[in-house]
């Protein structure tokens, strides 16, 4: 099961620099002109989780494998993208294919050209959001026409679709993104089928200069206030610093460099964790002498569904999940002590996976 975050924003805000740092590669060309990224670049990164190292130490695991997220570097949007300006149609299609959006906003001044001639991150955020909503309006109007034709024949599903589409249209026409539409539980599958761009969960990434990496600046404060007003989260980083940190392979050297900047960890760790949270994911673990591994499922996934992320046979032949919560595993010193203390639980098909569960699946195919 793959989960991905698309990195978007106006041209020259630091998207490709951030992507390069995230993936520790130079796969995305970073240049001082718009549209230097034509095809979306994709990279997978491990999600930092200190619990995994602790589990691996207790289990004496030979290998440690983190769960991963996929990041997609999408070329810069410009005003008019919803009408095909720049490379609008292609970019909007790339955004449609991702699960969540990391919206990079420029919060630094300097010589790098800004497509609108001045630095204003809130204006930039509104520009991109407007283009996504305009594209959604056009798509919904087409969808409404098709549903209306089917509804005239008495199609009940078409009538339900018409009602939802009309509600979404009203929301967008009032200048509110689709993710703010209140939904009943039975409407969620239909809403998802609409594939609305402005329904994607958003994390704002305020990209500051090196001097503001630890404290932020006046521009990043505006971004944080804007995000809070929308009910979204924001992370402050310096993509330039993260690119430098990504090139350091010696842990002590990396730690010393971060200390000199007043940072206790790379900003990328915050971005990755926030992206993980944005997708409403939880982590479960498996551990043994061969390997300790973190796995990802959506919140609300059952034990059999979690088993299926390891192998489809595990889900198909699921019998039970022998389960220890992380705190108990650490407190008692591993699987066998937890068993001996009667703290390992036997969970069945209806059990909902909790963040930090350590599983041993029993199955028969």
């Amino acid at each position: 099961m793959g989960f991905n975050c698309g990195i978007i924003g106006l041209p020259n805000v630091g998207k490709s620099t951030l992507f390069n740092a995230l993936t520790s590669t130079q796969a995305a060309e970073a240049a001082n002109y718009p549209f230097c990224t034509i095809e979306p670049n994709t990279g997978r990164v491990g999600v930092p989780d200190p619990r995994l190292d602790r589990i691996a130490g207790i289990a004496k695991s030979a290998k440690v494998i983190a769960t991963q997220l996929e990041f997609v570097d999408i070329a810069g949007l410009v005003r008019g993208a919803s009408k095909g300006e720049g490379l609008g149609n292609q970019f909007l299609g790339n955004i449609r294919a991702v699960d969540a959006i990391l919206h990079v906003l420029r919060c630094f001044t300097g010589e790098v050209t800004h497509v609108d001639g001045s630095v204003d991150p809130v204006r930039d955020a509104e520009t991109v959001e407007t283009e996504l909503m305009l594209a959604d309006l056009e798509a919904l109007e087409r969808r409404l026409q098709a549903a209306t034709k089917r509804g005239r024949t008495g199609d009940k599903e078409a009538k339900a679709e018409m009602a939802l589409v009309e509600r979404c249209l009203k929301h967008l026409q009032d200048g509110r993104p689709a993710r703010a539409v209140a939904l009943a539980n039975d409407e969620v599958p239909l809403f998802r089928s609409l594939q609305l761009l402005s329904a994607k969960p958003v994390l704002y990434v305020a990209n500051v200069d090196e001097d503001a990496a630890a404290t932020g600046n006046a521009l990043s404060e505006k971004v944080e206030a804007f995000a809070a007003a929308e009910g979204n989260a924001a992370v402050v980083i310096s993509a330039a610093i993260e690119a430098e940190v990504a090139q350091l392979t010696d842990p002590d050297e990396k730690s010393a460099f971060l200390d000199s900047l007043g940072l206790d960890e790379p900003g990328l760790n915050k971005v990755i964790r926030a992206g993980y949270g944005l997708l409403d994911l939880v982590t479960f673990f498996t551990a043994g002498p061969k390997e300790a591994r973190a796995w990802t499922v959506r919140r609300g996934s059952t034990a059999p569904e979690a088993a299926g992320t390891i192998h489809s046979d595990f889900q198909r032949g699921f019998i039970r999940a022998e389960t220890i919560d992380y705190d108990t595993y650490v407190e008692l010193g591993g699987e066998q002590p937890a068993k001996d203390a009667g703290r390992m639980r036997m969970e069945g098909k209806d059990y909902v996976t909790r963040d930090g569960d350590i599983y041993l699946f029993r199955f028969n195919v």
Side-chain angles (χ1 to χ4, degrees):
M1 187 182 299
F3 302 99
N4 56 25
C5 295
I7 303 175
I8 72 165
L10 295 179
N12 294 339
V13 296
K15 299 182 310 301
S16 294
T17 302
L18 174 63
F19 175 81
N20 290 338
L22 277 166
T23 56
S24 298
T25 70
Q26 293 300 313
E29 178 189 3
N32 183 23
Y33 56 90
F35 312 126
C36 64
T37 307
I38 305 301
E39 296 296 332
N41 294 276
T42 301
R44 296 184 66 81
V45 300
V47 177
D49 192 331
R51 295 176 299 178
L52 179 59
D53 292 326
R54 191 81 183 272
I55 290 168
I58 293 171
K60 297 181 172 55
S61 304
K63 292 172 63 178
V64 181
I65 304 174
T67 191
Q68 294 195 322
L69 274 187
E70 186 174 273
F71 288 90
V72 182
D73 178 28
I74 298 172
L77 289 168
V78 294
R79 188 174 283 107
S82 61
K83 301 298 182 184
E85 291 295 323
L87 298 176
N89 294 331
Q90 183 178 343
F91 299 164
L92 294 172
N94 293 332
I95 294 170
R96 204 177 302 280
V98 300
D99 298 310
I101 292 171
L102 267 59
H103 190 164
V104 181
L105 296 169
R106 179 171 169 176
C107 295
F108 63 90
T109 56
E111 297 179 358
V112 179
T113 304
H114 190 289
V115 70
D116 282 337
S118 62
V119 177
D120 183 342
V122 172
R123 177 202 61 203
D124 294 352
E126 291 172 341
T127 294
V128 173
E129 187 82 277
T130 297
E131 294 304 323
L132 299 185
M133 289 194 292
L134 288 171
D136 284 344
L137 278 167
E138 187 176 331
L140 285 173
E141 286 165 357
R142 290 196 302 267
R143 188 96 179 215
L144 182 59
Q145 289 176 0
T148 300
K149 288 180 181 178
R150 298 200 317 275
R152 291 189 188 121
T153 67
D155 187 324
K156 291 183 178 180
E157 290 183 2
K159 289 182 177 179
E161 182 176 331
M162 285 169 59
L164 180 58
V165 168
E166 286 172 347
R167 216 161 80 231
C168 292
L169 276 169
K170 178 66 168 62
H171 223 74
L172 291 163
Q173 288 161 352
D174 289 342
R176 293 175 293 170
R179 60 181 166 273
V181 175
L183 299 168
N185 289 337
D186 60 353
E187 291 179 313
V188 172
L190 177 55
F191 181 76
R192 286 178 177 162
S193 75
L194 299 177
Q195 294 187 301
L196 300 176
L197 299 174
S198 66
K200 307 279 185 185
V202 174
L203 170 71
Y204 292 107
V205 180
N207 184 17
V208 301
D209 56 27
E210 296 186 14
D211 293 339
T215 60
N217 59 23
L219 292 171
S220 67
E221 288 173 4
K222 289 182 179 179
V223 170
E224 291 174 315
F226 174 77
E230 283 197 335
N232 294 318
V235 173
V236 178
I237 68 160
S238 168
I241 286 177
E242 300 306 319
E244 291 183 54
V245 172
Q247 301 305 311
L248 301 176
T249 55
D250 181 81
D252 292 335
E253 188 179 354
K254 184 177 293 189
S255 179
F257 180 66
L258 290 170
D259 285 344
S260 71
L261 297 167
L263 301 171
D264 56 4
E265 67 173 344
L268 296 182
N269 288 8
K270 294 188 292 184
V271 173
I272 295 167
R273 284 198 298 267
Y276 193 82
L278 190 66
L279 292 164
D280 201 21
L281 306 176
V282 296
T283 300
F284 72 89
F285 303 94
T286 55
K290 289 186 178 179
E291 70 176 35
R293 185 162 183 165
W295 304 84
T296 295
V297 290
R298 289 201 185 278
R299 190 178 303 280
S301 297
T302 61
E305 288 169 337
T309 65
I310 299 175
H311 197 287
S312 58
D313 283 350
F314 285 25
Q315 181 170 2
R316 186 158 53 92
F318 180 90
I319 299 172
R320 67 178 182 273
E322 298 178 0
T323 312
I324 310 169
D325 65 86
Y326 170 77
D327 289 339
T328 298
Y329 189 91
V330 171
E331 175 193 345
L332 298 180
E335 179 182 317
Q336 193 57 50
K339 279 183 179 178
D340 294 342
R343 300 285 294 277
M344 175 180 274
R345 312 188 310 272
M346 303 299 165
E347 303 291 0
K349 292 182 178 181
D350 295 332
Y351 177 72
V352 175
T353 301
R354 300 173 188 167
D355 188 61
D357 277 343
I358 299 165
Y359 274 146
L360 175 63
F361 294 111
R362 298 297 184 185
F363 68 102
N364 183 34
V365 178

